[in-house]
Short mmCIF file of all heavy atoms in Angstrom, two decimals:
data_model
loop_
_atom_site.label_atom_id
_atom_site.label_comp_id
_atom_site.label_asym_id
_atom_site.label_seq_id
_atom_site.Cartn_x
_atom_site.Cartn_y
_atom_site.Cartn_z
N MET T 1 -8.88 11.37 -77.13
CA MET T 1 -7.98 12.48 -77.44
C MET T 1 -6.54 12.06 -77.21
O MET T 1 -6.08 11.98 -76.09
CB MET T 1 -8.31 13.69 -76.56
CG MET T 1 -9.77 14.14 -76.68
SD MET T 1 -10.26 14.47 -78.38
CE MET T 1 -12.02 14.13 -78.25
N SER T 2 -5.80 11.76 -78.24
CA SER T 2 -4.46 11.22 -78.07
C SER T 2 -3.38 12.21 -78.53
O SER T 2 -2.50 12.54 -77.78
CB SER T 2 -4.31 9.91 -78.83
OG SER T 2 -4.77 10.07 -80.15
N SER T 3 -3.49 12.70 -79.73
CA SER T 3 -2.41 13.51 -80.29
C SER T 3 -2.65 15.00 -80.05
O SER T 3 -2.91 15.75 -80.96
CB SER T 3 -2.28 13.24 -81.79
OG SER T 3 -3.47 13.53 -82.44
N ASN T 4 -2.57 15.37 -78.77
CA ASN T 4 -2.76 16.77 -78.45
C ASN T 4 -1.42 17.49 -78.45
O ASN T 4 -0.84 17.80 -77.41
CB ASN T 4 -3.43 16.91 -77.07
CG ASN T 4 -4.83 16.35 -77.10
OD1 ASN T 4 -5.43 16.23 -78.14
ND2 ASN T 4 -5.34 16.02 -75.96
N ILE T 5 -0.96 17.73 -79.64
CA ILE T 5 0.34 18.39 -79.78
C ILE T 5 0.28 19.34 -80.97
O ILE T 5 -0.30 19.03 -82.01
CB ILE T 5 1.47 17.35 -79.93
CG1 ILE T 5 2.83 18.04 -80.00
CG2 ILE T 5 1.25 16.44 -81.14
CD1 ILE T 5 3.99 17.10 -79.77
N CYS T 6 0.86 20.50 -80.79
CA CYS T 6 0.82 21.50 -81.86
C CYS T 6 1.72 21.05 -83.01
O CYS T 6 2.90 20.76 -82.80
CB CYS T 6 1.30 22.83 -81.30
SG CYS T 6 1.40 24.10 -82.57
N PRO T 7 1.19 20.99 -84.23
CA PRO T 7 2.00 20.59 -85.38
C PRO T 7 3.03 21.67 -85.76
O PRO T 7 3.94 21.40 -86.53
CB PRO T 7 0.97 20.40 -86.50
CG PRO T 7 -0.18 21.25 -86.10
CD PRO T 7 -0.20 21.28 -84.59
N ASN T 8 2.85 22.83 -85.24
CA ASN T 8 3.73 23.93 -85.60
C ASN T 8 4.92 24.08 -84.65
O ASN T 8 6.06 24.22 -85.09
CB ASN T 8 2.90 25.23 -85.63
CG ASN T 8 3.67 26.36 -86.28
OD1 ASN T 8 4.32 26.17 -87.31
ND2 ASN T 8 3.61 27.53 -85.69
N CYS T 9 4.64 24.02 -83.33
CA CYS T 9 5.72 24.29 -82.36
C CYS T 9 5.85 23.18 -81.32
O CYS T 9 6.66 23.30 -80.41
CB CYS T 9 5.49 25.62 -81.69
SG CYS T 9 4.13 25.62 -80.51
N ALA T 10 5.03 22.12 -81.43
CA ALA T 10 5.12 20.96 -80.53
C ALA T 10 4.69 21.26 -79.11
O ALA T 10 4.99 20.51 -78.20
CB ALA T 10 6.49 20.32 -80.58
N GLU T 11 3.99 22.36 -78.91
CA GLU T 11 3.41 22.66 -77.61
C GLU T 11 2.33 21.62 -77.29
O GLU T 11 1.61 21.18 -78.19
CB GLU T 11 2.80 24.06 -77.66
CG GLU T 11 2.03 24.48 -76.45
CD GLU T 11 2.91 24.57 -75.19
OE1 GLU T 11 3.91 25.27 -75.22
OE2 GLU T 11 2.57 23.90 -74.21
N THR T 12 2.24 21.22 -76.04
CA THR T 12 1.27 20.18 -75.69
C THR T 12 0.10 20.71 -74.87
O THR T 12 -0.87 19.98 -74.64
CB THR T 12 1.94 19.04 -74.91
OG1 THR T 12 2.66 19.58 -73.81
CG2 THR T 12 2.88 18.25 -75.80
N SER T 13 0.18 21.92 -74.38
CA SER T 13 -0.97 22.48 -73.66
C SER T 13 -1.81 23.29 -74.64
O SER T 13 -1.55 24.45 -74.90
CB SER T 13 -0.52 23.33 -72.47
OG SER T 13 0.31 24.38 -72.91
N LEU T 14 -2.82 22.60 -75.19
CA LEU T 14 -3.65 23.21 -76.20
C LEU T 14 -5.05 23.48 -75.67
O LEU T 14 -5.52 22.81 -74.75
CB LEU T 14 -3.77 22.26 -77.40
CG LEU T 14 -2.44 21.79 -77.99
CD1 LEU T 14 -2.70 20.77 -79.09
CD2 LEU T 14 -1.62 22.94 -78.52
N VAL T 15 -5.69 24.45 -76.27
CA VAL T 15 -7.08 24.71 -75.96
C VAL T 15 -7.92 23.99 -77.01
O VAL T 15 -7.70 24.17 -78.20
CB VAL T 15 -7.38 26.22 -75.99
CG1 VAL T 15 -8.85 26.48 -75.73
CG2 VAL T 15 -6.51 26.94 -74.97
N GLU T 16 -8.86 23.18 -76.56
CA GLU T 16 -9.69 22.43 -77.50
C GLU T 16 -11.16 22.71 -77.24
O GLU T 16 -11.63 22.63 -76.12
CB GLU T 16 -9.40 20.94 -77.39
CG GLU T 16 -7.98 20.63 -77.81
CD GLU T 16 -7.67 19.16 -77.80
OE1 GLU T 16 -8.26 18.43 -76.99
OE2 GLU T 16 -6.84 18.74 -78.62
N ILE T 17 -11.85 23.01 -78.30
CA ILE T 17 -13.28 23.33 -78.21
C ILE T 17 -14.04 22.38 -79.12
O ILE T 17 -13.80 22.34 -80.32
CB ILE T 17 -13.53 24.80 -78.62
CG1 ILE T 17 -12.72 25.74 -77.75
CG2 ILE T 17 -15.01 25.11 -78.54
CD1 ILE T 17 -12.65 27.15 -78.31
N SER T 18 -14.95 21.59 -78.52
CA SER T 18 -15.73 20.64 -79.31
C SER T 18 -17.06 21.26 -79.68
O SER T 18 -17.73 21.88 -78.86
CB SER T 18 -15.96 19.37 -78.51
OG SER T 18 -14.74 18.70 -78.32
N LEU T 19 -17.43 21.07 -80.93
CA LEU T 19 -18.68 21.60 -81.45
C LEU T 19 -19.37 20.49 -82.25
O LEU T 19 -18.73 19.55 -82.69
CB LEU T 19 -18.45 22.77 -82.39
CG LEU T 19 -17.64 23.96 -81.87
CD1 LEU T 19 -17.23 24.83 -83.05
CD2 LEU T 19 -18.46 24.75 -80.90
N THR T 20 -20.66 20.66 -82.44
CA THR T 20 -21.36 19.81 -83.40
C THR T 20 -21.88 20.72 -84.51
O THR T 20 -22.63 21.63 -84.27
CB THR T 20 -22.52 19.05 -82.73
OG1 THR T 20 -22.00 18.30 -81.65
CG2 THR T 20 -23.18 18.12 -83.73
N VAL T 21 -21.40 20.47 -85.72
CA VAL T 21 -21.77 21.29 -86.87
C VAL T 21 -22.39 20.40 -87.93
O VAL T 21 -21.73 19.50 -88.44
CB VAL T 21 -20.54 22.03 -87.44
CG1 VAL T 21 -20.95 22.89 -88.64
CG2 VAL T 21 -19.89 22.89 -86.38
N GLY T 22 -23.64 20.65 -88.24
CA GLY T 22 -24.31 19.87 -89.28
C GLY T 22 -24.30 18.39 -89.00
O GLY T 22 -24.20 17.57 -89.92
N GLY T 23 -24.34 18.00 -87.72
CA GLY T 23 -24.38 16.60 -87.35
C GLY T 23 -23.00 15.95 -87.28
O GLY T 23 -22.88 14.77 -87.02
N HIS T 24 -21.96 16.75 -87.50
CA HIS T 24 -20.59 16.23 -87.42
C HIS T 24 -19.93 16.75 -86.15
O HIS T 24 -20.13 17.89 -85.76
CB HIS T 24 -19.78 16.67 -88.62
CG HIS T 24 -20.21 16.05 -89.92
ND1 HIS T 24 -19.70 14.87 -90.38
CD2 HIS T 24 -21.14 16.46 -90.82
CE1 HIS T 24 -20.29 14.58 -91.53
NE2 HIS T 24 -21.16 15.52 -91.80
N LYS T 25 -19.11 15.88 -85.58
CA LYS T 25 -18.33 16.32 -84.44
C LYS T 25 -17.11 17.09 -84.93
O LYS T 25 -16.27 16.55 -85.64
CB LYS T 25 -17.88 15.11 -83.59
CG LYS T 25 -18.96 14.62 -82.65
CD LYS T 25 -18.41 13.59 -81.69
CE LYS T 25 -17.52 14.22 -80.63
NZ LYS T 25 -17.02 13.23 -79.65
N VAL T 26 -17.04 18.33 -84.54
CA VAL T 26 -15.97 19.20 -85.00
C VAL T 26 -15.21 19.71 -83.77
O VAL T 26 -15.81 20.03 -82.77
CB VAL T 26 -16.56 20.39 -85.79
CG1 VAL T 26 -15.49 21.41 -86.12
CG2 VAL T 26 -17.21 19.89 -87.06
N MET T 27 -13.90 19.74 -83.88
CA MET T 27 -13.10 20.23 -82.77
C MET T 27 -12.12 21.27 -83.25
O MET T 27 -11.38 21.06 -84.22
CB MET T 27 -12.36 19.07 -82.10
CG MET T 27 -11.70 19.47 -80.80
SD MET T 27 -11.05 18.06 -79.90
CE MET T 27 -9.69 17.59 -80.93
N LEU T 28 -12.12 22.40 -82.58
CA LEU T 28 -11.14 23.44 -82.85
C LEU T 28 -10.02 23.32 -81.82
O LEU T 28 -10.26 23.35 -80.63
CB LEU T 28 -11.81 24.82 -82.73
CG LEU T 28 -10.85 26.02 -82.74
CD1 LEU T 28 -10.07 26.12 -84.02
CD2 LEU T 28 -11.62 27.30 -82.48
N SER T 29 -8.81 23.16 -82.32
CA SER T 29 -7.64 23.15 -81.44
C SER T 29 -6.88 24.44 -81.64
O SER T 29 -6.71 24.91 -82.74
CB SER T 29 -6.72 21.97 -81.79
OG SER T 29 -7.41 20.76 -81.62
N SER T 30 -6.45 25.01 -80.52
CA SER T 30 -5.76 26.28 -80.58
C SER T 30 -4.52 26.21 -79.70
O SER T 30 -4.59 25.76 -78.56
CB SER T 30 -6.71 27.38 -80.10
OG SER T 30 -6.04 28.61 -80.04
N CYS T 31 -3.39 26.62 -80.23
CA CYS T 31 -2.14 26.59 -79.48
C CYS T 31 -1.91 27.96 -78.85
O CYS T 31 -1.90 28.96 -79.55
CB CYS T 31 -0.99 26.24 -80.42
SG CYS T 31 0.61 26.30 -79.61
N SER T 32 -1.74 27.96 -77.54
CA SER T 32 -1.55 29.24 -76.85
C SER T 32 -0.12 29.75 -77.02
O SER T 32 0.16 30.91 -76.78
CB SER T 32 -1.90 29.10 -75.38
OG SER T 32 -1.20 28.01 -74.82
N ALA T 33 0.78 28.87 -77.43
CA ALA T 33 2.19 29.26 -77.55
C ALA T 33 2.45 30.01 -78.86
O ALA T 33 3.09 31.06 -78.87
CB ALA T 33 3.08 28.03 -77.47
N CYS T 34 1.95 29.48 -79.99
CA CYS T 34 2.25 30.10 -81.28
C CYS T 34 0.99 30.61 -81.98
O CYS T 34 1.06 31.15 -83.08
CB CYS T 34 3.00 29.13 -82.19
SG CYS T 34 1.98 27.78 -82.79
N GLU T 35 -0.18 30.42 -81.32
CA GLU T 35 -1.45 30.91 -81.83
C GLU T 35 -1.88 30.24 -83.13
O GLU T 35 -2.68 30.80 -83.88
CB GLU T 35 -1.42 32.43 -81.99
CG GLU T 35 -1.15 33.11 -80.65
CD GLU T 35 -1.36 34.63 -80.70
OE1 GLU T 35 -1.49 35.15 -81.81
OE2 GLU T 35 -1.41 35.23 -79.63
N SER T 36 -1.37 29.04 -83.39
CA SER T 36 -1.87 28.26 -84.51
C SER T 36 -3.26 27.75 -84.17
O SER T 36 -3.56 27.47 -83.02
CB SER T 36 -0.96 27.06 -84.79
OG SER T 36 0.21 27.46 -85.42
N ARG T 37 -4.07 27.59 -85.19
CA ARG T 37 -5.38 27.00 -85.01
C ARG T 37 -5.60 25.97 -86.09
O ARG T 37 -5.22 26.19 -87.23
CB ARG T 37 -6.49 28.06 -85.09
CG ARG T 37 -6.51 28.91 -83.85
CD ARG T 37 -7.61 29.91 -83.93
NE ARG T 37 -7.49 30.84 -82.82
CZ ARG T 37 -8.33 31.87 -82.63
NH1 ARG T 37 -9.27 32.10 -83.49
NH2 ARG T 37 -8.17 32.65 -81.59
N TRP T 38 -6.24 24.88 -85.72
CA TRP T 38 -6.56 23.88 -86.72
C TRP T 38 -7.80 23.14 -86.28
O TRP T 38 -8.20 23.17 -85.12
CB TRP T 38 -5.38 22.95 -86.96
CG TRP T 38 -4.94 22.16 -85.77
CD1 TRP T 38 -5.30 20.89 -85.49
CD2 TRP T 38 -4.10 22.60 -84.71
NE1 TRP T 38 -4.71 20.50 -84.31
CE2 TRP T 38 -3.97 21.54 -83.82
CE3 TRP T 38 -3.44 23.81 -84.45
CZ2 TRP T 38 -3.21 21.65 -82.66
CZ3 TRP T 38 -2.69 23.91 -83.28
CH2 TRP T 38 -2.57 22.83 -82.42
N TRP T 39 -8.43 22.46 -87.23
CA TRP T 39 -9.73 21.85 -87.02
C TRP T 39 -9.68 20.35 -87.25
O TRP T 39 -8.92 19.87 -88.08
CB TRP T 39 -10.75 22.45 -87.99
CG TRP T 39 -11.08 23.87 -87.74
CD1 TRP T 39 -10.34 24.95 -88.15
CD2 TRP T 39 -12.19 24.40 -87.04
NE1 TRP T 39 -10.96 26.11 -87.73
CE2 TRP T 39 -12.09 25.80 -87.05
CE3 TRP T 39 -13.29 23.81 -86.39
CZ2 TRP T 39 -13.04 26.62 -86.44
CZ3 TRP T 39 -14.23 24.63 -85.79
CH2 TRP T 39 -14.10 26.02 -85.82
N HIS T 40 -10.53 19.65 -86.51
CA HIS T 40 -10.76 18.24 -86.78
C HIS T 40 -12.25 18.05 -87.02
O HIS T 40 -13.07 18.62 -86.31
CB HIS T 40 -10.33 17.37 -85.59
CG HIS T 40 -8.85 17.20 -85.49
ND1 HIS T 40 -8.05 18.14 -84.87
CD2 HIS T 40 -8.03 16.23 -85.92
CE1 HIS T 40 -6.79 17.73 -84.93
NE2 HIS T 40 -6.74 16.56 -85.56
N LYS T 41 -12.57 17.26 -88.01
CA LYS T 41 -13.95 16.89 -88.27
C LYS T 41 -14.07 15.38 -88.22
O LYS T 41 -13.35 14.70 -88.95
CB LYS T 41 -14.38 17.40 -89.66
CG LYS T 41 -15.86 17.21 -89.92
CD LYS T 41 -16.22 17.58 -91.34
CE LYS T 41 -15.88 16.45 -92.28
NZ LYS T 41 -16.16 16.76 -93.69
N ASP T 42 -14.95 14.88 -87.36
CA ASP T 42 -15.09 13.43 -87.17
C ASP T 42 -13.73 12.76 -86.92
O ASP T 42 -13.44 11.69 -87.43
CB ASP T 42 -15.78 12.79 -88.39
CG ASP T 42 -17.20 13.30 -88.57
OD1 ASP T 42 -17.82 13.68 -87.56
OD2 ASP T 42 -17.68 13.32 -89.71
N GLY T 43 -12.88 13.42 -86.16
CA GLY T 43 -11.60 12.83 -85.76
C GLY T 43 -10.47 13.01 -86.78
O GLY T 43 -9.37 12.55 -86.56
N GLN T 44 -10.77 13.67 -87.91
CA GLN T 44 -9.72 13.86 -88.92
C GLN T 44 -9.43 15.34 -89.12
O GLN T 44 -10.31 16.18 -89.01
CB GLN T 44 -10.17 13.25 -90.25
CG GLN T 44 -10.42 11.75 -90.15
CD GLN T 44 -10.43 11.11 -91.52
OE1 GLN T 44 -10.95 11.68 -92.45
NE2 GLN T 44 -9.86 9.91 -91.61
N THR T 45 -8.18 15.62 -89.43
CA THR T 45 -7.80 17.01 -89.66
C THR T 45 -8.63 17.60 -90.80
O THR T 45 -8.88 16.94 -91.80
CB THR T 45 -6.30 17.10 -90.03
OG1 THR T 45 -5.56 16.35 -89.08
CG2 THR T 45 -5.83 18.53 -90.03
N SER T 46 -9.07 18.80 -90.61
CA SER T 46 -9.98 19.41 -91.57
C SER T 46 -9.63 20.87 -91.80
O SER T 46 -9.03 21.51 -90.95
CB SER T 46 -11.40 19.27 -91.04
OG SER T 46 -12.31 19.80 -91.96
N GLU T 47 -10.01 21.38 -92.95
CA GLU T 47 -9.84 22.79 -93.23
C GLU T 47 -10.99 23.59 -92.66
O GLU T 47 -12.12 23.10 -92.59
CB GLU T 47 -9.82 23.01 -94.76
CG GLU T 47 -8.71 22.29 -95.48
CD GLU T 47 -7.34 22.85 -95.14
OE1 GLU T 47 -7.24 24.07 -94.91
OE2 GLU T 47 -6.37 22.07 -95.07
N VAL T 48 -10.70 24.80 -92.28
CA VAL T 48 -11.76 25.66 -91.74
C VAL T 48 -12.86 25.88 -92.76
O VAL T 48 -14.04 25.99 -92.43
CB VAL T 48 -11.19 26.99 -91.20
CG1 VAL T 48 -10.60 27.82 -92.33
CG2 VAL T 48 -12.27 27.76 -90.46
N THR T 49 -12.50 25.88 -94.04
CA THR T 49 -13.50 26.07 -95.09
C THR T 49 -14.51 24.94 -95.12
O THR T 49 -15.70 25.15 -95.36
CB THR T 49 -12.81 26.17 -96.47
OG1 THR T 49 -11.90 25.07 -96.61
CG2 THR T 49 -12.06 27.47 -96.62
N GLU T 50 -14.02 23.71 -94.83
CA GLU T 50 -14.93 22.56 -94.76
C GLU T 50 -15.94 22.72 -93.64
O GLU T 50 -17.11 22.38 -93.77
CB GLU T 50 -14.12 21.28 -94.49
CG GLU T 50 -13.78 20.47 -95.70
CD GLU T 50 -13.15 19.15 -95.29
OE1 GLU T 50 -13.89 18.22 -94.99
OE2 GLU T 50 -11.91 19.09 -95.23
N VAL T 51 -15.43 23.20 -92.50
CA VAL T 51 -16.29 23.38 -91.33
C VAL T 51 -17.35 24.46 -91.62
O VAL T 51 -18.53 24.29 -91.31
CB VAL T 51 -15.45 23.78 -90.10
CG1 VAL T 51 -16.34 24.05 -88.91
CG2 VAL T 51 -14.48 22.64 -89.77
N LEU T 52 -16.92 25.55 -92.26
CA LEU T 52 -17.85 26.60 -92.60
C LEU T 52 -18.90 26.11 -93.59
O LEU T 52 -20.07 26.50 -93.54
CB LEU T 52 -17.11 27.80 -93.19
CG LEU T 52 -16.21 28.54 -92.21
CD1 LEU T 52 -15.41 29.62 -92.93
CD2 LEU T 52 -17.02 29.17 -91.08
N GLU T 53 -18.47 25.23 -94.49
CA GLU T 53 -19.40 24.65 -95.46
C GLU T 53 -20.48 23.83 -94.76
O GLU T 53 -21.65 23.93 -95.08
CB GLU T 53 -18.61 23.76 -96.41
CG GLU T 53 -19.11 23.78 -97.85
CD GLU T 53 -18.10 23.10 -98.77
OE1 GLU T 53 -17.12 23.77 -99.14
OE2 GLU T 53 -18.32 21.94 -99.08
N LEU T 54 -20.05 23.03 -93.80
CA LEU T 54 -21.00 22.24 -93.00
C LEU T 54 -21.99 23.15 -92.30
O LEU T 54 -23.18 22.89 -92.25
CB LEU T 54 -20.25 21.43 -91.94
CG LEU T 54 -19.55 20.15 -92.39
CD1 LEU T 54 -18.84 19.54 -91.18
CD2 LEU T 54 -20.55 19.17 -92.96
N ALA T 55 -21.47 24.22 -91.73
CA ALA T 55 -22.31 25.14 -90.99
C ALA T 55 -23.37 25.76 -91.89
O ALA T 55 -24.53 25.92 -91.51
CB ALA T 55 -21.45 26.22 -90.34
N SER T 56 -22.98 26.11 -93.10
CA SER T 56 -23.92 26.74 -94.02
C SER T 56 -24.93 25.74 -94.55
O SER T 56 -26.11 26.07 -94.77
CB SER T 56 -23.19 27.44 -95.17
OG SER T 56 -22.51 26.48 -95.94
N GLN T 57 -24.49 24.48 -94.72
CA GLN T 57 -25.42 23.42 -95.16
C GLN T 57 -26.47 23.15 -94.11
O GLN T 57 -27.63 22.88 -94.43
CB GLN T 57 -24.66 22.13 -95.47
CG GLN T 57 -23.92 22.17 -96.80
CD GLN T 57 -22.97 20.97 -96.96
OE1 GLN T 57 -22.89 20.13 -96.07
NE2 GLN T 57 -22.29 20.93 -98.06
N GLY T 58 -26.04 23.22 -92.85
CA GLY T 58 -26.95 22.94 -91.74
C GLY T 58 -28.10 23.91 -91.62
O GLY T 58 -29.13 23.60 -91.05
N LYS T 59 -27.94 25.08 -92.24
CA LYS T 59 -28.98 26.10 -92.13
C LYS T 59 -30.12 25.88 -93.14
O LYS T 59 -31.16 26.46 -93.02
CB LYS T 59 -28.38 27.49 -92.32
CG LYS T 59 -27.60 27.94 -91.12
CD LYS T 59 -26.96 29.31 -91.37
CE LYS T 59 -26.05 29.67 -90.21
NZ LYS T 59 -25.23 30.86 -90.54
N ARG T 60 -29.85 25.08 -94.17
CA ARG T 60 -30.86 24.85 -95.19
C ARG T 60 -32.02 24.03 -94.69
O ARG T 60 -31.81 23.09 -93.96
CB ARG T 60 -30.22 24.16 -96.39
CG ARG T 60 -29.78 25.18 -97.41
CD ARG T 60 -29.17 24.49 -98.60
NE ARG T 60 -27.95 25.18 -98.99
CZ ARG T 60 -27.04 24.65 -99.82
NH1 ARG T 60 -27.19 23.45 -100.31
NH2 ARG T 60 -25.98 25.31 -100.14
ZN1 ZN V 1 2.05 25.98 -81.39
#
């Protein structure tokens, strides 16, 4: 975990929640300062829609 900084306001104290979705490592980062949220999938920035897609695929 290296770049723990908010892309919106540069806050460095972030809340991070790691999940496994459909066999992928997914992390939700949340900024307590500006309430931005963003996702990483397998270490790369990801859209929430991608994560939801994985979740729905996993149910099949
Ligand atoms: Zn922020």
Side-chain angles (χ1 to χ4, degrees):
M1 304 306 152
S2 50
S3 59
N4 295 338
I5 184 164
C6 176
N8 193 43
C9 73
E11 174 63 55
T12 53
S13 58
L14 306 175
V15 178
E16 295 184 329
I17 303 166
S18 293
L19 305 166
T20 303
V21 180
H24 292 270
K25 278 189 73 177
V26 172
M27 190 171 70
L28 169 63
S29 299
S30 175
C31 176
S32 52
C34 70
E35 300 190 348
S36 284
R37 286 181 188 179
W38 61 98
W39 292 82
H40 284 83
K41 187 187 81 181
D42 297 332
Q44 299 198 321
T45 311
S46 182
E47 299 292 327
V48 65
T49 49
E50 263 187 84
V51 176
L52 292 174
E53 216 168 279
L54 282 179
S56 63
Q57 283 170 0
K59 286 177 186 170
R60 267 181 224 165

